[in-house]
Amino acid sequence: MSTFSTDSEVNIITAVRAHFGLSVRQLASYLGVSAGFVSHLETGRKGLPAALAPRLTVLSRLLPPPLGQGPPAPPEPPESAIYDTLAPLPAPDALLAATELSGATTPAPEPLRQRLRDARQQLLQYGQRLAQQQSRAVLLARRRRGVAQLQTAPFPTEPAETARYARWLGELATDLARDEPDPTQAAADRLLLAARVAALRAEVALLAELSSGS
């Protein structure tokens, strides 16, 4: 039997994965089980074998209180930091709406409506991409902090476990370098995408107002 109860196993495994930004596969690699088995552990469908409890304990001790004895977790970005594709559009900018002088020719409505349809579709696509990239950035930042914490934490004392732990840390570092080879470029790409989304939101808001009056 494991030294953890089933409920505490579920909580701790979920907390370990969240705190260190680990995928199911990465945690499975450390525990020495399949990814499917970790999924069963995380949902409570299976219990943790007693032989694996010490490995989970190595990680759980590094969790912030009250689950572990590690340092307090840094604050997570607010939910507002992730783009909400359903967020209300901004108020239309009056600049373009005022370009037509009073009494000037009324613009043909169909080009405005067609562009509005196209812009809405683009906004949906780019907005979803931005939200995905922002969520990924949060996860990768969590994983970077997790890897740094694991690298500086005391290693297991048993030689075989020490070697396993060291190999696993190497795998995590390799995964991180593969998933985010250039964090600064990724940050610039997110900002450029956010600027494009902001421009599309402003365009859609204005075109919607112009089209409603045409």
Side-chain angles (χ1 to χ4, degrees):
M1 292 292 292
S2 165
T3 56
F4 299 99
S5 68
T6 301
D7 288 344
S8 66
E9 283 173 12
V10 171
N11 292 337
I12 289 173
I13 289 172
T14 300
V16 163
R17 288 220 307 115
H19 178 71
F20 295 109
L22 300 175
S23 67
V24 171
R25 176 188 61 80
Q26 289 169 332
L27 181 56
S29 176
Y30 173 64
L31 293 177
V33 297
S34 69
F37 190 80
V38 169
S39 295
H40 287 313
L41 292 175
E42 200 165 14
T43 56
R45 290 195 294 268
K46 290 187 178 180
L48 183 72
L52 300 183
R55 292 177 185 168
L56 183 59
T57 299
V58 168
L59 301 184
S60 66
R61 284 176 178 166
L62 300 176
L63 293 173
L67 290 177
Q69 303 166 14
E76 289 287 335
E79 290 187 6
S80 58
I82 307 299
Y83 175 67
D84 180 3
T85 57
L86 300 179
L89 292 172
D93 191 322
L95 176 63
L96 293 181
T99 56
E100 287 297 316
L101 298 177
S102 176
T105 303
T106 301
E110 187 51 34
L112 298 179
R113 292 170 182 162
Q114 181 60 53
R115 177 53 196 163
L116 176 59
R117 289 191 290 268
D118 293 344
R120 279 174 169 162
Q121 182 63 31
Q122 291 174 354
L123 177 58
L124 177 62
Q125 293 173 349
Y126 287 116
Q128 289 175 338
R129 189 186 306 174
L130 176 60
Q132 291 169 354
Q133 289 189 12
Q134 290 172 329
S135 297
R136 177 179 172 81
V138 170
L139 175 60
L140 288 172
R142 193 181 300 152
R143 194 187 301 174
R144 281 195 301 273
R145 292 194 303 267
V147 169
Q149 183 183 5
L150 291 167
Q151 288 172 335
T152 57
F155 278 35
T157 56
E158 201 276 321
E161 289 299 311
T162 299
R164 164 184 283 277
Y165 189 79
R167 285 195 303 270
W168 181 61
L169 289 183
E171 293 172 2
L172 292 183
T174 299
D175 287 349
L176 186 58
R178 180 200 63 218
D179 293 341
E180 192 177 40
D182 189 346
T184 57
Q185 181 61 50
D189 290 343
R190 284 193 303 276
L191 285 175
L192 291 172
L193 184 55
R196 187 159 194 175
V197 168
L200 282 168
R201 282 170 54 82
E203 183 180 7
V204 167
L206 178 60
L207 287 172
E209 181 171 279
L210 294 177
S211 297
S212 66
S214 60

